[in-house]
Amino acid sequence: MGILTSAVDVRSDAFRANRAHYDGLLATLRDRLAACTASGRAELVARHHARGKILVRDRIDLLVDPGTAFLELSPLAAWGQYDNGLPAAGIVTGIGLVAGTPCVVIANDATVKGGSFYAETVKKHIRAQEIAEQNRLPCLYLVDCGGANLPQQDKVFPDRDHFGNTFHRQCRMSAAGLPQVSVVFGGCTAGGAYIPALSDQVVMVEGNARIHLGGPSIVKVAINEEVDGETLGGAAMHTRVSGVSDHLAADEPQALARLREIVAELNLGRDLAAGAAPVEAPLYDPAELGGVVSHDRRIPYDVREIVARLVDGSRFQEFKPEWGATLVCGWARIHGRPVGILGNNGALFSESSLKAAHFIELCDQRAIPLLFLHNITGFMVGAEAERGGIAKDSAKMVYAMSIARVPKISVLVGGSYGAGNYGMCGRGFRPHFLFAWPSAELATMSADIAANVMLELRRGNVKAAPPTDDELAAIDRAVRDQYGEQSDPYYATSRLWDDGLIEPAQTRDVLGLCLALVSTVPDAGPRTPVYRM
């Protein structure tokens, strides 16, 4: 396997300018992550602590194995929405090792809107369950949930992919042999009650945890019964009387310790290092990636420079290097795991599309996961491209990618526009994981092209009077403002169009964890469903 040689001069003015620009992007990312991971308002955090409760991310720290990584997913969900009053969409999801077993953790943040579910909360919860099912991971629910947010009921309750779908997935994963285990820390009302009720095992914390389909106020209105919350659905009652809970914990640390004990006996041992080759660091520092990516989108860079800073030993066996030059394809290893990489070096022509289809088929034949590095304006347009068959050749690439059975991971490095996003395995094609850098842009087309298209449409409108210069200027400004806002990476991650924004220097380690998960998925044999009687 050949070794990539970098042509980047890290002492050049261009590199320093790129890095300075990217350092600004990273400062913004870190500031916003800090804001979103600090939970709710200070007075709500203080009230949470006064009740003897631990903050949600501190619970996760106590749960996962000491010294191991926790890959938090979509921490910037709901950013910029609800006046930034819904940090992380009120829920923390991610993947971590618990008693040596990789697990998906889904944890409500009661300091944010009482842990109730908004549209983004539901979407984030379902996405974590989807990752668990796809990678055959247990789901651990740290429940502190007020159920559906009532003013948002039309956005969280009735539809197929709304709150009810979380329970549907929970049941089906349990039946498929993927354990569903809950620890209840606070009040779980209405729909929130079904998260533990549908779990295979339940732990409740005495004094704070409650489960009831209808709280005391609803009971009073519905059947005119006066009852306090503890009597109605407290931890002691549910553990000793109803049997809804299987274990009673004196406090939160004890509850999390019991959860670790349960996971240790799930009989789901999984060696994430199995089958991996010895790991080599890249020859070039991943910290240089910020200086590699051009701060001006009009200035191209070679995607091989990114690959050289991601893969083991900077070793890369390139496929068809002399043909279809606008798409770089080849095999490498990341943290010892084999991977087939497709990276953009320009628009996708017929040759590069056919090259991609061929390469994807080879990886599928050899059971090698695929990694797509997006920086794509789209497939080539124009009379020559159409006569050359770009419509069918681009379709071949999309078809090959869509039916490939191997795991697929996407990273949005730069622009990801139009059908190019589709060919490079965008969200609509269900990659196992999709992350973005803070330099990413996601849209049907760039703001420049969109503005010009809309101006041409207006000029060509034969039913209207000829446009004035002021009207054209207003159209241009409106389109650029819209595309500028909606193609921003924070707009995308807020709406969970990716699994999170990550720093370029962290990409290799994030990919290593994801490849370890997708490369060690056990076969799903026959399972016996768990019926809670």
Side-chain angles (χ1 to χ4, degrees), residues 373-401:
L373 300 176
H374 293 228
N375 184 32
I376 177 66
T377 55
F379 292 98
M380 193 60 191
V381 297
E384 183 178 350
E386 297 295 353
R387 286 196 298 269
I390 187 63
K392 69 177 173 61
D393 293 334
S394 63
K396 289 176 183 177
M397 177 181 178
V398 172
Y399 190 93
M401 179 273 298

Side-chain angles (χ1 to χ4, degrees), residues 76-310:
L76 289 161
W79 173 263
Q81 302 184 68
Y82 313 106
D83 294 322
N84 272 336
L86 193 69
I91 192 169
V92 179
T93 64
I95 303 167
L97 282 177
V98 179
T101 300
C103 300
V104 164
V105 178
I106 301 175
N108 307 111
D109 188 347
T111 70
V112 178
K113 307 297 183 182
S116 62
F117 277 71
Y118 283 62
E120 292 75 18
T121 318
V122 172
K123 193 171 183 180
K124 186 171 174 178
H125 186 116
I126 288 175
R127 176 58 183 150
Q129 290 179 307
E130 184 179 60
I131 288 172
E133 186 172 13
Q134 200 167 37
N135 294 284
R136 295 202 58 78
L137 300 171
C139 272
L140 309 181
Y141 302 89
L142 308 187
V143 192
D144 206 345
C145 171
N149 183 270
L150 295 183
Q152 280 230 327
Q153 71 90 25
D154 65 323
K155 298 179 177 65
V156 301
F157 172 68
D159 207 354
R160 185 191 68 175
D161 292 325
H162 284 174
F163 201 8
N165 186 250
T166 68
F167 309 135
H168 174 74
R169 289 176 177 272
Q170 199 171 332
C171 297
R172 293 184 64 84
M173 281 194 286
S174 174
L178 301 178
Q180 310 290 297
V181 186
S182 287
V183 176
V184 183
F185 297 95
C188 299
T189 303
Y194 280 107
I195 299 173
L198 289 171
S199 293
D200 304 328
Q201 281 182 267
V202 180
V203 181
M204 293 184 72
V205 179
E206 190 168 16
N208 277 330
R210 294 177 186 174
I211 298 174
H212 32 59
L213 296 186
S217 60
I218 293 177
V219 171
K220 172 64 176 174
V221 172
I223 63 174
N224 199 31
E225 179 182 348
E226 297 276 1
V227 63
D228 65 86
E230 188 64 26
T231 303
L232 181 65
M237 187 282 289
H238 275 312
T239 308
R240 296 169 179 151
V241 179
S242 74
V244 169
S245 168
D246 305 305
H247 306 279
L248 183 65
D251 54 27
E252 294 195 7
Q254 186 181 93
L256 293 164
R258 177 55 58 91
L259 179 55
R260 286 182 53 81
E261 292 170 1
I262 291 171
V263 173
E265 299 304 324
L266 290 178
N267 195 30
L268 289 176
R270 183 161 163 187
D271 183 5
L272 293 181
V279 176
E280 295 180 80
L283 296 183
Y284 305 97
D285 190 350
E288 296 173 355
L289 286 167
V292 169
V293 176
S294 302
H295 67 278
D296 184 342
R297 293 197 184 280
R298 295 168 297 183
I299 301 175
Y301 58 87
D302 190 345
V303 72
R304 295 176 186 84
E305 297 287 355
I306 294 177
V307 174
R309 290 161 176 82
L310 293 181

Side-chain angles (χ1 to χ4, degrees), residues 283-369:
L283 296 183
Y284 305 97
D285 190 350
E288 296 173 355
L289 286 167
V292 169
V293 176
S294 302
H295 67 278
D296 184 342
R297 293 197 184 280
R298 295 168 297 183
I299 301 175
Y301 58 87
D302 190 345
V303 72
R304 295 176 186 84
E305 297 287 355
I306 294 177
V307 174
R309 290 161 176 82
L310 293 181
V311 304
D312 289 8
S314 301
R315 301 179 189 278
F316 186 61
Q317 185 184 63
E318 189 165 348
F319 176 69
K320 288 185 178 290
E322 306 298 327
W323 193 68
T326 59
L327 185 72
V328 174
C329 303
W331 292 277
R333 288 182 180 267
I334 296 178
H335 279 277
R337 296 284 176 191
V339 62
I341 300 173
L342 299 91
N344 302 121
N345 257 357
L348 289 163
F349 290 77
S350 282
E351 296 87 347
S352 42
S353 301
L354 294 172
K355 174 179 169 178
H358 188 178
F359 179 72
I360 289 167
E361 289 172 347
L362 289 174
C363 290
D364 199 40
Q365 179 195 61
R366 300 169 188 179
I368 296 175

